[in-house]
Amino acid sequence: MTEERIVYVVDDDAAVRDSLVWLLGSVGLRALSFGSAAEFLEGYEDIGTCCLVSDVRMPEMSGLELQKALNARDIQIPLILMTAFGDVSTAVKAMKAGAVDFIEKPFNNQNMLDLINTALQADADRRKSKEVAVENAQLLARLTPQEHRVFERVVAGLANREIGNEMDISVKTVEVHRARVMRKLEANSVAELVRFHLHSAPTTEGG
């Protein structure tokens, strides 16, 4: 079953909200609309892959202020900002603060859908990477401090003899630790260990 993807729409103009909800529904995307940034912040729940489409110029809290609030709360959601004004400086500020894109009203429906699909894919990729990092951390927790030291040196490209010299242990002991590392991390080759290392959150050597 395909995971449902959600598009949050924030705009104080009801006609714009309704139009976007209809457009998204026409291509099978679920849309949740809000009349203000504050209303969105109150109602947002992290329930799966999503993105946010928000107007820039809104009363009380603008799109840029909403972006700052999201960053402050560490809410990682791809943001597309809309504006009826060709404000380049606003666009630059938004992109520097992490917005994935910026579109001027009135916009072409297909262009908007393309931006939304790109944002949704970016969020799906981020979530998958986070899942992999968590899974890898759980596997790394299986290693003893000594095994972790061996692992770090293997993925750094050191040969068994070099690892032994650095750690002041025999080559045979390195080989034993290395075999245990491969088994515990469910890897079949050094290349898999390297890929595992690249997709893991930064760690420190144990002990």
Side-chain angles (χ1 to χ4, degrees):
M1 184 176 178
T2 304
E3 179 191 16
E4 183 176 42
R5 298 185 170 198
I6 300 171
V7 180
Y8 296 100
V9 177
V10 179
D11 198 309
D12 60 310
D13 186 329
V16 173
R17 294 199 307 273
D18 292 344
S19 177
L20 270 172
V21 169
W22 175 86
L23 174 65
L24 294 164
S26 72
V27 294
L29 288 172
R30 181 184 175 195
L32 298 177
S33 67
F34 302 86
S36 70
E39 186 183 333
F40 167 75
L41 289 172
E42 179 69 25
Y44 171 73
E45 290 184 77
D46 186 4
I47 55 177
T49 300
C50 61
C51 73
L52 168 61
V53 179
S54 173
D55 193 23
V56 168
R57 294 178 184 255
M58 295 183 290
E60 297 181 10
M61 183 184 289
S62 70
L64 286 182
E65 290 168 335
L66 170 58
Q67 185 178 30
K68 290 178 182 177
L70 292 172
N71 291 341
R73 299 182 187 198
D74 196 28
I75 297 176
Q76 298 180 40
I77 177 171
L79 171 64
I80 299 167
L81 286 171
M82 305 178 290
T83 181
F85 306 88
D87 189 342
V88 176
S89 64
T90 301
V92 171
K93 286 180 183 177
M95 300 296 279
K96 284 184 176 180
V100 297
D101 226 312
F102 192 92
I103 191 168
E104 290 185 60
K105 297 177 182 178
F107 49 78
N108 175 276
N109 284 347
Q110 189 57 54
N111 288 347
M112 174 61 87
L113 289 174
D114 288 344
L115 292 181
I116 287 171
N117 282 323
T118 297
L120 288 171
Q121 188 58 53
D123 193 53
D125 291 345
R126 178 188 65 80
R127 290 173 184 275
K128 180 60 179 176
S129 294
K130 188 175 180 179
E131 286 176 9
V132 169
V134 170
E135 291 169 1
N136 287 358
Q138 292 171 344
L139 292 177
L140 279 172
R142 298 178 180 179
L143 302 183
T144 65
Q146 193 82 324
E147 289 165 355
H148 194 96
R149 294 187 189 101
V150 170
F151 165 68
E152 291 290 347
R153 286 160 177 78
V154 169
V155 296
L158 273 64
N160 286 352
R161 185 168 299 281
E162 293 173 307
I163 295 172
N165 289 339
E166 275 199 11
M167 296 178 60
D168 197 24
I169 56 178
S170 70
V171 172
K172 182 64 178 177
T173 301
V174 173
E175 291 172 351
V176 171
H177 285 316
R178 185 167 175 159
R180 289 174 180 167
V181 168
M182 298 283 283
R183 184 179 71 254
K184 290 181 179 181
L185 299 186
E186 302 174 2
N188 296 311
S189 66
V190 173
E192 287 187 16
L193 283 182
V194 172
R195 281 195 292 273
F196 180 99
H197 182 70
L198 292 173
H199 292 90
S200 299
T203 59
T204 57
E205 291 188 0

